[in-house]
Amino acid sequence: MRQGKYPFVIGFLIAPLALYGMFVLRPIAAAVQVSMTNWSGLSPDFDFVGLENFQKLLDDDKVWLAAKHHVFLLVTLPVITIALALFFAFLLNMGGGTRGGVMTGVWGSKFYRVVFFLPQVLAVVIVGVIFGRVYAPDGSGILNRFLELFGVDAVQFMAEYGLWSILGVLVWQAVGFYVVLFAAGMSSIPAEIYEAAVMDGASRVTIFFRVTIPLLMETVKVAWVYLGILAMDAFALVMVLSIDEGGPDGATTVLPVQIYKSGIRESDYGYASALGVALAVFTIIFAVLSLRGGKRNAVEH
């Protein structure tokens, strides 16, 4: 440190920056390079084609259909998940009675937090297999058996409501994590703020909208970005649950599925890399716009 702080800091940064460059930046640069070739993935020979793959991407109806599905998930997944997570977290923290003038959570709230978080420890493929039985079109499907109790005929969930069904699984899997996240954020809010609101005669609904949400806005903004990134993926669930890997007739396809089909099935790694680059750029733009568009003066407590 006698020689100055910068040599000291640089000495510690050399190793992590070198690893980051080797395992993150270098593969990204390689993907961009491959996206400008007609490499098949199997042959050592390839030709440089410039932006031809990106032009092909813009003219591909399947890509635009997949992008439309991503927009649908970008709008619905964060809104539904965050709304449910905030509601459940508020119940766990302040949905019970009042003890000593302080609002408490519902009975057994610690147990409920564990239950909510359980889907996070399950692999995505396992979740897909489980909901494959839930959505099964025949009499063995759990949902269809439930509907039979009310005289409703069997529903072809993945054929008729494929994207909505996948959205339901994404929400089910993600909401528990954000319940725990928001509940932790609510616990960090000083009790005096809530006590003052109660003394002023504020109801729980008023406290939720006028006190809790403004104080959690920064956490909500981060959750929105994470869920938006999740909406850009959904590869594993689509592959496991959908009919014909994104069907029927592309009704549930997403860009990662198109990347898989172009690269693995059709051996067109150049075009698959172009799709991957486009998806990465799309995701980065969404994250930047979400963070910058959501800028506001933080409410301190």
Side-chain angles (χ1 to χ4, degrees), residues 217-301:
M217 191 53 66
E218 291 300 314
T219 306
V220 171
K221 183 170 64 175
V222 173
W224 185 282
V225 174
Y226 286 165
L227 286 165
I229 295 174
L230 176 61
M232 297 293 188
D233 187 8
F235 171 77
L237 286 179
V238 171
M239 293 294 288
V240 174
L241 284 174
S242 67
I243 300 171
D244 193 25
E245 299 177 350
D249 196 24
T252 57
T253 190
V254 288
L255 284 176
V257 172
Q258 295 302 121
I259 294 172
Y260 166 80
K261 289 182 177 180
S262 297
I264 304 300
R265 294 291 181 81
E266 302 171 8
S267 296
D268 190 352
Y269 276 73
Y271 184 57
S273 296
L275 287 172
V277 170
L279 179 60
V281 171
F282 192 19
T283 305
I284 292 171
I285 291 174
F286 165 78
V288 171
L289 291 179
S290 297
L291 291 173
R292 291 181 64 86
K295 273 189 175 180
R296 49 167 290 164
N297 295 328
V299 179
E300 297 181 355
H301 55 78

Side-chain angles (χ1 to χ4, degrees), residues 8-19:
F8 178 79
V9 172
I10 292 173
F12 274 94
L13 288 177
I14 289 176
L17 287 178
L19 291 173

Side-chain angles (χ1 to χ4, degrees), residues 164-263:
W164 282 100
S165 300
I166 290 173
L167 172 64
V169 181
L170 288 170
V171 171
W172 178 85
Q173 186 183 25
V175 71
F177 174 81
Y178 295 99
V179 167
V180 175
L181 178 67
F182 293 149
M186 292 177 191
S187 299
S188 68
I189 299 174
E192 293 81 3
I193 296 178
Y194 289 114
E195 291 175 5
V198 172
M199 291 179 63
D200 288 340
S203 65
R204 276 184 166 81
V205 175
T206 302
I207 291 173
F208 178 72
F209 286 103
R210 297 293 183 89
V211 178
T212 303
I213 291 182
L215 292 176
L216 284 180
M217 191 53 66
E218 291 300 314
T219 306
V220 171
K221 183 170 64 175
V222 173
W224 185 282
V225 174
Y226 286 165
L227 286 165
I229 295 174
L230 176 61
M232 297 293 188
D233 187 8
F235 171 77
L237 286 179
V238 171
M239 293 294 288
V240 174
L241 284 174
S242 67
I243 300 171
D244 193 25
E245 299 177 350
D249 196 24
T252 57
T253 190
V254 288
L255 284 176
V257 172
Q258 295 302 121
I259 294 172
Y260 166 80
K261 289 182 177 180
S262 297

Side-chain angles (χ1 to χ4, degrees), residues 16-184:
L17 287 178
L19 291 173
Y20 186 82
M22 177 64 68
F23 295 106
V24 178
L25 298 181
R26 185 172 178 271
I28 292 175
V32 174
Q33 180 184 6
V34 172
S35 70
M36 297 184 182
T37 69
N38 61 357
W39 186 43
S40 67
L42 302 175
S43 171
D45 303 321
F46 56 85
D47 298 319
F48 180 79
V49 297
L51 300 178
E52 183 178 313
N53 287 321
F54 293 96
Q55 181 61 48
K56 179 182 176 182
L57 181 156
L58 294 175
D59 297 332
D60 193 337
D61 292 337
K62 293 180 180 179
V63 171
W64 285 108
L65 181 60
K68 178 181 176 181
H69 295 159
H70 281 298
V71 172
F72 168 78
L73 293 175
L74 273 175
V75 174
T76 55
L77 178 60
V79 170
I80 296 174
T81 303
I82 290 175
L84 289 174
L86 283 171
F87 174 71
F88 289 134
F90 190 77
L91 288 181
L92 294 179
N93 281 63
M94 284 156 279
T98 303
R99 185 180 305 166
V102 179
M103 292 183 295
T104 60
V106 296
W107 182 85
S109 58
K110 293 183 179 179
F111 171 74
Y112 293 138
R113 294 188 192 198
V114 176
V115 172
F116 276 122
F117 195 77
L118 277 178
Q120 290 294 313
V121 304
L122 298 177
V124 179
V125 175
I126 295 176
V127 173
V129 171
I130 292 173
F131 275 88
R133 300 314 309 159
V134 173
Y135 291 145
D138 52 23
S140 63
I142 296 175
L143 273 179
N144 276 320
R145 283 197 173 188
F146 176 76
L147 293 175
E148 284 180 2
L149 299 176
F150 302 93
V152 179
D153 295 333
V155 178
Q156 306 287 328
F157 287 100
M158 293 312 303
E160 300 175 19
Y161 310 102
L163 202 57
W164 282 100
S165 300
I166 290 173
L167 172 64
V169 181
L170 288 170
V171 171
W172 178 85
Q173 186 183 25
V175 71
F177 174 81
Y178 295 99
V179 167
V180 175
L181 178 67
F182 293 149

